[in-house]
Amino acid sequence: MYELQMDLVRKNLKLWLEEDIGMGDVTTMSTIPADRQSKGIIHLKDNGIIAGLQIAEAVFNIVDDQLRFEPKVQEGQAVSYGTVLAEVSGSTRSILLGERLALNLMQRMSGIATRTRQFVDALQGLPVRLVDTRKTTPGHRLLEKYAVRIGGGYNHRFGLYDAVMIKDNHIKGAGGIAEAIAAARSQIPHTMKIEVEVENKEQLEEALNANPDIIMLDNMTPEQMREAVVRMKSQAPHILVEASGSVTLESIYAIAATGVDVISVGRLTYSVQALDISLDLNERKGGTS
């Protein structure tokens, strides 16, 4: 199972809870007795891949470490409408304090995992890796990239700090592809890879001569990609070939069939439809139980 950096995640969860709760949940505090106990039933009103169970548990535990969270499905499991995903038991007030943040995060993460699984399924039988991009929600990148992994995809770089990725504006600013690659190579440690984006045959030739680690074929047609792959494999088979740009479920198989090694898809995270997940109380009267 892909592991999250939970220490960092918890710091964010505390900030997001503070944003939502502020000085206190006036509705809950004014309507629910302090000693009221309940069980919250978290269920799916959709179909898809579930991600974020441990995040929901962390939310409720930050709100109240006496709450008991019980997952009823596995992370990454495909489930259908009406499935109970988890139960959370304890103080009714505490359950309601954490409800919205826990559901919001699970809904978004499950939507990403579901979308990713659709793309992975569309690539069945082809030796290509599906990866995400930096087109993530600010502050939520760790969770969204985690959800991609749960859906069966892989992660591209996490930020601007962990790889050199030379795009069109870097090329313009540096004075050319060769100049940009040479400048980067003179500055970065030997352990860091260099990727460069190309849009046509001329740029491909310039990139090949500069010998980066990865060449991204950006917004090319499948025919152009196929020609580029043949050219690269004949001259520089050690260079990884990545395809990117407006990749859809309808087009991804044809792109993969060109022989590229990696396909990066921004829509795994930036325009995803969240799954519909709800929490209903099954109330238990009285004090502690």
Side-chain angles (χ1 to χ4, degrees):
M1 178 67 69
Y2 179 72
E3 295 295 332
L4 274 167
Q5 300 176 38
M6 286 305 297
D7 287 345
L8 179 56
V9 170
R10 287 189 181 93
K11 290 180 181 179
N12 287 331
L13 294 180
K14 290 176 182 177
L15 291 174
W16 298 333
L17 282 167
E18 182 179 339
E19 174 189 56
D20 195 29
I21 298 170
M23 298 297 292
D25 178 356
V26 294
T27 308
T28 295
M29 298 306 176
S30 63
T31 60
I32 307 296
D35 64 348
R36 184 64 50 84
Q37 299 283 300
S38 296
K39 177 185 290 184
I41 311 298
I42 299 174
H43 58 95
L44 182 64
K45 299 167 66 177
D46 221 323
N47 301 293
I49 308 300
I50 298 305
L53 287 165
Q54 65 175 310
I55 301 304
E57 181 175 14
V59 170
F60 287 116
N61 285 341
I62 290 170
V63 169
D64 181 350
D65 61 10
Q66 298 302 305
L67 290 177
R68 182 181 179 189
F69 186 90
E70 297 180 77
K72 298 299 182 181
V73 299
Q74 299 293 317
E75 192 86 336
Q77 184 175 335
V79 296
S80 58
Y81 190 105
T83 301
V84 174
L85 308 178
E87 296 178 356
V88 56
S89 304
S91 165
T92 307
R93 285 185 173 186
S94 296
I95 293 172
L96 296 179
L97 281 173
E99 173 189 6
R100 179 42 52 202
L101 178 60
L103 294 183
N104 282 351
L105 295 175
M106 278 192 68
Q107 289 178 150
R108 173 89 178 151
M109 294 172 69
S110 297
I112 290 171
T114 300
R115 170 71 64 81
T116 301
R117 185 69 58 85
Q118 292 169 347
F119 274 88
V120 169
D121 289 346
L123 293 171
Q124 287 299 316
L126 294 176
V128 62
R129 175 171 285 199
L130 174 73
V131 304
D132 54 25
T133 71
R134 284 172 50 246
K135 294 179 181 179
T136 55
T137 308
H140 292 251
R141 183 168 297 172
L142 286 179
L143 301 185
E144 294 183 355
K145 282 182 170 283
Y146 164 84
V148 168
R149 296 296 294 263
I150 292 300
Y154 294 85
N155 299 137
H156 207 295
R157 60 178 179 162
F158 270 75
L160 297 172
Y161 53 85
D162 56 348
V164 173
M165 188 168 178
I166 300 170
K167 298 174 71 67
D168 55 347
N169 284 329
H170 300 104
I171 293 168
K172 294 173 183 176
I177 290 175
E179 290 82 356
I181 292 175
R185 186 167 284 127
S186 69
Q187 298 290 326
I188 63 173
H190 70 282
T191 54
M192 187 172 286
K193 291 187 176 182
I194 298 176
E195 178 169 4
V196 63
E197 173 186 281
V198 302
E199 299 176 348
N200 51 54
K201 288 182 179 180
E202 292 73 25
Q203 288 188 333
L204 175 62
E205 291 302 320
E206 187 177 357
L208 284 172
N209 290 332
N211 195 35
D213 300 288
I214 309 162
I215 292 179
M216 176 195 288
L217 309 177
D218 185 51
N219 281 304
M220 292 187 180
T221 66
E223 293 74 20
Q224 291 171 325
M225 289 183 190
R226 189 172 291 107
E227 292 178 7
V229 169
V230 170
R231 178 77 179 100
M232 289 179 64
K233 296 304 181 183
S234 64
Q235 179 173 329
H238 61 284
I239 297 179
L240 202 69
V241 190
E242 179 180 335
S244 187
S246 302
V247 181
T248 66
L249 277 172
E250 293 71 31
S251 67
I252 194 168
Y253 191 90
I255 293 171
T258 65
V260 297
D261 302 301
V262 177
I263 302 176
S264 53
V265 181
R267 67 184 66 230
L268 296 182
T269 53
Y270 78 79
S271 62
V272 73
Q273 176 67 47
L275 294 195
D276 190 356
I277 300 174
S278 292
L279 183 152
D280 290 327
L281 288 183
N282 179 11
E283 186 183 84
R284 298 200 305 271
K285 302 287 186 180
T288 59
S289 61

